[in-house]
């Protein structure tokens, strides 16, 4: 058997670029004469913008520190040991860059075993151990603390999670086994499964304490000092830590069943990680920790060698890295300052945009519309949203007053826009209307002002074609709801110049949006792919496949919602409008469904009705069912799925040939951040590659080997 040190040395050789975390041991005398204490601080030598992680060398360093502390504990020269992190960061888990490099099952197994072997030593010391969660703690960072006897948490801690299932892994260094045994299966399932699958939801410090993960919570300002005072009282027997009894009967089984229902609703069996985690939680009921750790090792190794995790890491890298350096964006030094924003329109979309610009840029924002009532309603919406932020304590009264003072509405564009630097229109999606608006704006706006359009499918070049200065028009397409979806498609028209484009990217960054540069092609990226996707589903329904079969066919993709529920969210009229736009551009591939047209003409909001009797599950609206005219060609779920995926693969191939975006990675980044496509698919292209669809349709894969798959 290899020793832990040998395992980690071998793993470290595979990963020469690791950002290494040191484990510094210092000694201090505890208050109240409680005795000498060894404190291990995890620190990678960088500030909080580069969080501390555990690669193999980092684990080896902690292992070495524990050699020293173990010896001191055994000889009685310390009464306890503690673990904490550098300012603002405890530790954020395994270094994923190292995980990407693993090519063999035994290498992956060594990572799981190595982590367990080191962390288990915290529990095995001859003295009590204390974890002080002083800052952000995720994954392996959380798990290191779980192996300690006691835990404290800072109330200022902003982010605490076990995000592994979100990425396609399981909490594999003790999380699946220790957490349910500490706080009960129900709460553990909530942290490990539900939060992860809910867009990687984070816990705050107080919630960590309320869940029972930490035994005490202290304010951030003097967190370590208070933790050490508390430690001394625990060691002296003055403070007793009482933990509730764990339900190891039906409550445990019910929690696991609930976890499976959550996983089914989110990924529909399409991604293995959540189910593997639940299997380990289920088996942890008997409290046999070592058996649980062995199961974690196996699950971790299997998942590291699987496509889902590689797609998850690929998606993570897209969102964390590629999103910060948009492909094709001009030099940011060309960007002009934006000190005032104009919004044409005061409807819901325009009002949402006004609120976003106001909150992020904190510059004057002025709305215009065709009558005073609409203008007042738009400004009123923004004021009401600011009041909500104030009510929730997200901003103080001064900030609320200042923001309200910065937003205004006028009828006269000349009065509103004469000194605006960035003017965005969010009016009716009709070319002649938008051209008219831009002509009016150009007549009164300063020469340097950017004219942006929030169009979802119309040609930016055509919109700008009748202006004196078409070079300053740029597409700035947001996704609804504006406050939640991060994507911003920035569209370069035929005449758009670099300065205007650079300014648009600069504004996008201040808005904290993920900006992707796209060519001025019909419906840009997300709407073009979704319309082809939805269009093919609509086609099979029109031809005769039952609605329920068509919907179920797509479940293995694990999308956030079914296609027809998505159509309801977008609005059937908008869906129809985009399909008509694309049908004019590409009639051979994009159809306009007569059934969808009938649904829109009947004023229906979607295909489904929801009622309390069936738990608000979607049911086909009988009125819609009566409208549907279907053929007699009935496909199976598998046939539907093949047809839909083939259509999507074909469309993406054509978009890349046309140069709509720089690379397939940008398509995936758009679908993840603009349409909520799952991390575990890596967007869409890794899935199409993995399922053999890309080669079947286009004769080649979209991505290079190893990019979202196990390296050869």
């Amino acid at each position: 058997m290899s020793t832990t040190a040998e395992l980690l040395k071998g793993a470290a050789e595979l990963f020469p670029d690791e950002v290494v975390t040191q484990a510094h041991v210092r000694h201090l005398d505890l208050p109240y004469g409680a005795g000498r204490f060894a404190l291990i601080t995890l620190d990678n030598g960088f500030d909080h913008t580069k969080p501390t992680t555990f690669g193999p060398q980092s684990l080896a360093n902690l292992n070495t520190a524990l050699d020293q502390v173990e010896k001191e504990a055994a000889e009685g020269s310390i009464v306890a040991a503690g673990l904490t992190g550098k300012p603002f960061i405890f530790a954020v888990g395994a270094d994923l860059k190292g995980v990407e490099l693993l090519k063999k099952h035994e290498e992956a197994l060594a990572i799981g075993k190595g982590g367990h072997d080191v962390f288990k030593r915290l529990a095995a010391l001859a003295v009590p151990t204390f974890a002080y969660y002083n800052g952000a703690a995720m994954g392996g960072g959380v798990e290191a603390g779980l192996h300690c006897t006691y835990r404290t948490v800072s109330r200022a801690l902003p982010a605490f999670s076990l995000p592994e299932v979100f990425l396609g892994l399981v909490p594999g260094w003790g999380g699946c086994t220790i957490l349910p045994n500490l706080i009960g299966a129900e709460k553990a399932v909530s942290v490990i499964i539900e939060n992860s699958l809910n867009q990687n939801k984070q816990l705050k410090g107080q919630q960590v304490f309320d869940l029972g993960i930490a035994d005490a919570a202290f304010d951030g300002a003097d967190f370590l000092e208070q933790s050490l005072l508390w430690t001394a009282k625990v060691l002296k027997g003055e403070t007793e830590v009482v933990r509730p009894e764990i339900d190891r009967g039906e409550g445990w089984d019910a929690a696991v069943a609930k976890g499976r229902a959550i996983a089914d609703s989110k990924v529909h069996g399409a991604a293995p990680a959540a189910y593997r985690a639940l299997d380990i939680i289920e088996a942890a009921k008997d409290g046999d920790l070592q058996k649980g750790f062995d199961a974690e090792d196996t699950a971790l190794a299997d998942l590291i060698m699987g496509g889902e995790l590689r797609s998850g890491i690929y998606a993570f890298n897209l969102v964390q890295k590629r999103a910060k350096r948009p492909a094709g964006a001009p030099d940011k030094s060309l960007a002009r300052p934006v000190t005032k924003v104009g919004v044409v329109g005061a409807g819901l979309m325009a009002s949402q945009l006004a609120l976003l610009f106001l909150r992020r840029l904190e510059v004057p924002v002025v709305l215009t519309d065709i009558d005073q009532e609409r203008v007042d309603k738009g400004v009123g919406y923004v004021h009401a949203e600011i009041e909500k932020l104030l009510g929730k304590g997200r901003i103080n009264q001064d900030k609320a007053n200042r923001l309200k003072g910065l937003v205004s509405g006028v009828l006269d564009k000349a009065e509103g826009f004469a000194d605006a630097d960035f003017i965005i229109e969010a009016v009716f999606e009709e070319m002649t209307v938008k051209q008219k608006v831009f002509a009016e704006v150009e007549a009164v706006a300063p020469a340097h002002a950017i004219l942006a359009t929030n169009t979802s499918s119309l040609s930016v070049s055509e919109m700008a074609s009748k202006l004196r200065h078409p070079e300053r028009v740029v597409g700035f397409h947001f996704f609804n709801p504006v406050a939640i979806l991060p994507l911003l498609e920035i569209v370069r028209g035929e005449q758009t110049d670099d300065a205007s484009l650079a300014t648009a990217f600069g504004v996008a960054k201040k808005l904290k949006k993920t900006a992707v540069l796209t060519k001025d092609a019909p419906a840009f990226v997300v709407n073009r792919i979704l319309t082809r996707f939805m269009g093919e589903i609509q086609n099979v329904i029109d031809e005769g496949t039952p609605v329920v079969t068509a919907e179920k066919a797509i479940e293995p993709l694990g999308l956030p919602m079914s296609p027809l529920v998505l159509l309801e969210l977008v609005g059937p009229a908008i869906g129809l409008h985009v399909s008509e736009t694309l049908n004019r551009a590409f009639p051979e591939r994009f159809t306009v469904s007569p059934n969808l047209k009938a649904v829109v003409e009947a004023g229906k909001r979607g295909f489904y009705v929801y009622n309390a009797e069936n738990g608000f599950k979607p049911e086909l609206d009988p009125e819609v069912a009566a409208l549907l005219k279907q053929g007699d060609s009935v496909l199976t779920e598998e046939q539907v799925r093949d047809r839909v995926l083939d259509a999507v693969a074909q469309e993406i191939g054509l978009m890349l040939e046309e140069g709509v975006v720089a690379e397939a990675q940008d398509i995936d980044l758009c679908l993840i951040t603009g349409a909520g496509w799952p991390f575990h698919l890596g967007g869409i292209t890794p899935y199409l590659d993995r399922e053999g669809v890309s080669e079947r349709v286009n004769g080649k894969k979209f991505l290079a080997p190893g990019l979202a798959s196990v390296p050869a």
Side-chain angles (χ1 to χ4, degrees):
M1 284 292 288
S2 301
T3 65
T4 302
E6 285 166 352
L7 272 180
L8 293 172
K9 187 168 179 286
E13 283 164 7
L14 292 171
F15 184 22
D17 299 329
E18 178 184 349
V19 176
V20 177
T21 297
Q22 303 299 332
H24 305 291
V25 183
R26 63 189 171 112
H27 295 91
L28 39 104
D29 291 319
L30 287 169
Y32 314 126
R36 191 162 177 261
F37 183 79
L39 181 65
I40 303 170
T41 303
L42 303 168
D43 191 345
N44 61 6
F46 293 91
D47 69 9
H48 66 279
T49 58
K50 198 161 208 157
T52 305
T53 51
F54 291 117
Q57 187 55 54
S58 306
L59 284 171
N61 290 344
L62 178 56
N63 201 41
T64 304
L66 287 167
D67 286 342
Q68 177 190 340
V69 173
E70 187 175 61
K71 186 166 166 288
E72 291 168 352
E75 65 193 23
S77 65
I78 56 169
V79 293
L83 187 66
T84 193
K86 66 183 184 182
F88 309 110
I89 305 285
F90 182 79
V92 299
D95 190 323
L96 290 175
K97 292 195 295 298
V99 173
E100 279 178 271
L101 301 170
L102 301 174
K103 297 178 183 177
K104 299 192 188 108
H105 196 273
E106 58 266 31
E107 292 169 357
L109 202 58
I111 289 292
K113 238 184 110 23
H116 271 130
D117 288 352
V118 175
F119 290 173
K120 274 191 321 199
R121 298 182 70 188
L122 287 161
L125 289 178
V127 294
T129 47
F130 294 78
Y132 306 133
Y133 290 125
N134 63 304
M138 294 171 205
V142 168
E143 290 170 302
L146 291 176
H147 284 267
C148 294
T149 325
Y150 305 101
R151 284 155 295 282
T152 68
V153 67
S154 164
R155 288 197 184 95
L157 182 150
F160 182 104
S161 63
L162 288 168
E164 286 83 354
V165 166
F166 176 67
L167 289 167
L169 280 173
V170 297
W173 285 342
C176 288
T177 304
I178 300 173
L179 193 64
N181 279 292
L182 175 70
I183 62 172
E186 188 179 357
K187 289 176 183 172
V189 163
S190 169
V191 174
I192 294 169
I193 307 297
E194 192 167 13
N195 288 357
S196 273
L197 293 178
N198 192 4
Q199 293 300 318
N200 192 19
K201 185 180 168 197
Q202 301 292 318
L203 298 168
K204 301 268 193 288
Q206 186 61 43
Q207 294 170 299
V208 174
F209 171 67
D210 293 342
L211 281 165
I213 299 171
D215 302 302
F218 302 109
D219 289 339
D222 56 353
F223 169 69
L224 191 57
E225 197 182 337
Q226 292 299 323
S227 292
L228 292 169
L229 286 167
W230 182 83
T231 297
K233 286 179 179 170
V234 170
L235 292 171
K236 287 176 75 76
E238 291 170 23
T239 293
E240 190 189 353
V241 173
V242 181
R243 294 184 184 136
E245 193 69 32
I246 301 294
D247 180 344
R248 296 184 183 278
E250 285 174 17
W252 193 292
D253 300 337
V256 172
K258 183 186 168 195
R260 292 194 195 283
I262 291 166
D264 286 343
S265 73
K266 293 286 189 181
V267 299
H268 308 285
Y275 302 98
R276 292 295 292 265
L278 286 161
D279 289 345
I280 301 167
I281 294 169
E282 185 172 34
K285 183 176 171 180
D286 62 6
D288 183 339
L289 295 187
Q290 189 51 52
K291 191 177 83 184
F293 296 162
D294 292 342
E296 287 175 353
D297 286 342
T298 306
L300 210 52
D302 290 350
L303 291 166
I304 285 172
M305 299 318 290
E308 183 208 358
L309 170 70
R310 304 304 170 132
S311 295
I313 294 176
Y314 164 80
F316 184 79
N317 288 337
L318 290 181
V319 171
Q320 293 297 321
K321 295 174 187 166
R322 192 175 183 92
K324 291 178 175 61
R325 288 187 290 279
D331 191 319
K332 54 178 178 280
S333 66
L334 297 171
R336 293 192 285 263
V338 172
T339 59
K340 183 178 179 182
V341 173
V343 182
V344 186
L348 183 59
M349 190 66 176
S351 305
Q352 286 185 62
L353 296 182
L355 179 69
L356 181 69
F357 279 96
L358 184 67
R359 287 194 63 200
R360 297 280 187 246
L361 271 57
E362 294 191 24
V363 299
V365 174
V366 60
L367 295 108
T368 67
D369 212 317
I370 53 174
D371 59 51
Q372 193 62 45
E373 191 186 338
R374 291 178 203 222
V375 169
D376 292 344
K377 193 177 173 190
V379 173
Y381 169 87
V382 177
H383 280 198
E385 291 298 313
I386 292 167
E387 280 297 324
K388 282 185 199 167
L389 292 169
L390 178 66
K392 289 177 185 164
R394 302 269 293 280
I395 54 173
N396 61 23
Q397 189 66 58
D398 279 355
K399 178 97 176 252
N401 293 345
R402 193 166 81 252
L403 290 176
K404 281 186 187 173
L406 285 170
V407 66
S408 61
V410 293
L411 282 175
D412 182 2
K413 290 187 179 70
E415 182 191 338
F417 299 157
D419 55 348
D421 308 300
F422 191 99
I423 301 159
I424 184 164
E425 68 73 26
V427 298
F428 187 64
E429 190 75 346
E430 185 65 61
M431 183 59 77
T432 50
V433 176
K434 290 188 187 280
Q435 284 179 332
K436 180 172 177 285
V437 161
F438 269 161
E440 290 168 3
V441 170
E442 188 180 48
V444 298
H448 69 273
I450 305 297
L451 307 184
T453 168
N454 182 44
T455 181
S456 57
S457 61
L458 300 175
S459 166
V460 174
S461 306
E462 191 183 336
M463 219 175 285
S465 62
K466 297 182 179 173
L467 298 178
R468 290 194 306 281
H469 294 287
E471 71 278 358
R472 55 175 170 161
V473 176
V474 63
F476 215 63
H477 178 219
F478 289 89
F479 288 78
N480 217 349
V482 169
I484 295 169
L485 289 174
L487 181 64
L488 185 51
E489 290 177 339
I490 296 188
V491 186
R492 180 172 209 150
E494 284 165 21
Q495 309 274 329
T496 310
D497 64 19
D498 280 356
S500 301
L501 205 58
T503 306
F505 273 99
V507 170
K509 190 170 184 181
K510 284 188 176 148
L511 294 174
K512 299 188 177 168
K513 291 293 178 188
T514 297
V516 174
L517 178 62
T518 144
K519 187 178 160 183
D520 186 19
F524 319 125
V525 180
V526 173
N527 284 342
R528 179 162 164 186
I529 292 169
L530 288 186
T531 304
R532 185 77 201 272
F533 173 78
M534 305 280 281
E536 211 50 57
I537 286 165
Q538 201 73 59
N539 287 343
V540 301
I541 292 170
D542 292 354
E543 290 163 18
T545 299
V547 169
V548 65
T549 307
E551 288 268 81
K552 269 188 79 66
I554 305 305
E555 280 188 357
L557 272 76
L559 297 178
M561 59 188 78
S562 78
L564 293 181
V565 173
L566 174 65
L567 181 69
E568 215 165 281
L569 186 73
V570 171
I574 293 173
L576 179 65
H577 175 79
V578 177
S579 69
E580 286 169 344
T581 303
L582 281 158
N583 171 254
R584 285 195 294 275
F586 309 114
E588 68 288 356
R589 299 194 310 281
F590 287 87
T591 50
V592 177
S593 162
N595 281 321
L596 179 58
K597 217 169 188 169
V599 167
V600 172
E601 282 166 4
K604 304 301 290 183
R605 292 184 55 195
F607 277 64
Y608 293 128
V609 285
Y610 303 84
N611 50 53
E613 293 89 80
N614 74 339
F616 296 103
K617 287 193 177 84
E619 269 183 11
L620 190 60
D621 182 340
E623 290 178 20
V624 170
L627 291 171
L628 294 182
K629 291 187 168 59
Q630 292 182 281
D632 51 14
S633 169
V634 180
L635 301 183
T636 64
E637 284 177 27
E638 196 177 342
Q639 287 170 323
V640 172
R641 188 161 55 251
D642 283 349
R643 215 170 114 174
V644 171
L645 292 176
D646 285 4
V648 170
Q650 182 195 30
E651 204 57 41
I652 293 170
L654 291 165
M655 288 165 73
L656 292 170
E657 272 176 33
E658 290 167 30
V660 175
V661 287
E663 292 181 286
Q665 286 95 309
D666 294 311
I667 300 262
D668 293 320
L669 182 56
C670 285
L671 285 172
I672 292 164
T673 57
W677 280 42
F679 253 60
H680 67 76
L681 291 185
I684 182 65
T685 68
Y687 180 81
L688 295 172
D689 283 357
R690 206 160 66 227
E691 296 294 310
V693 182
S694 315
E695 287 180 274
R696 182 168 77 226
V697 175
N698 299 322
K700 61 181 182 191
K701 291 186 171 176
F702 287 115
L703 300 172
L707 194 58
S709 52
V710 177

